[in-house]
Amino acid sequence: PRVEVVVCGDTAGLPPAVEVAAYRIAHEAVTNVRRHARATTVLVRLSVETDPAGRGELRLTVSDDGVGLPATPRRGVGTASMRERAQEAGGSCVITSRPGGGTEVAVRLPLSPSARDDALRAPGAIGARP
């Protein structure tokens, strides 16, 4: 598929852990599109935003125009690793079917260390610390 990358906002100076998580998640998402989606186009969008509490976050979306998720999606290693990488960075990763067809991976990664630490202290968090 044709892959288009759009970057909005200033991404210079991102925390290294956020850069690595975003890269690895985007890579896995595009790999999944190539393997499973039968898509013709993929849009990778990165933006630096401010959340409602005024904290900075990196938002990553990978959208395709393929066949979408199956009725009963199977949890593979790739989708699990995307979610785990986002959680380890204190963020989230949601994978959904798009209206009209295709799939979207939507990731939010906090840019402040305190937000990451708060997420890691949450019960059930991957890599949670006491």
Side-chain angles (χ1 to χ4, degrees):
R2 182 176 59 85
V3 178
E4 181 180 349
V5 178
V6 176
V7 179
C8 300
D10 183 9
T11 58
L14 292 175
V18 171
E19 284 184 355
V20 170
Y23 174 80
R24 297 267 169 88
I25 293 167
H27 183 268
E28 183 62 37
V30 172
T31 297
N32 284 345
V33 170
R34 293 188 69 207
R35 286 184 182 157
H36 308 293
R38 299 191 305 257
T40 59
T41 60
V42 181
L43 174 62
V44 178
R45 181 179 172 88
L46 280 171
S47 62
V48 176
E49 306 283 337
T50 302
D51 72 8
R55 295 178 303 244
E57 65 183 15
L58 181 68
R59 294 185 187 173
L60 163 69
T61 58
V62 180
S63 307
D64 69 69
D65 65 351
V67 297
L69 296 172
T72 52
R74 93 176 206 258
R75 287 177 119 22
V77 172
T79 56
S81 73
M82 287 189 287
R83 288 184 179 105
E84 287 174 7
R85 285 188 190 282
Q87 286 178 336
E88 287 169 354
S92 63
C93 175
V94 177
I95 304 167
T96 57
S97 288
R98 296 177 59 212
T103 302
E104 180 174 272
V105 176
V107 178
R108 298 172 81 151
L109 303 171
L111 298 178
S112 68
S114 62
R116 178 187 174 277
D117 292 343
D118 290 346
L120 287 174
R121 281 192 211 90
I126 295 172
R129 294 185 299 248

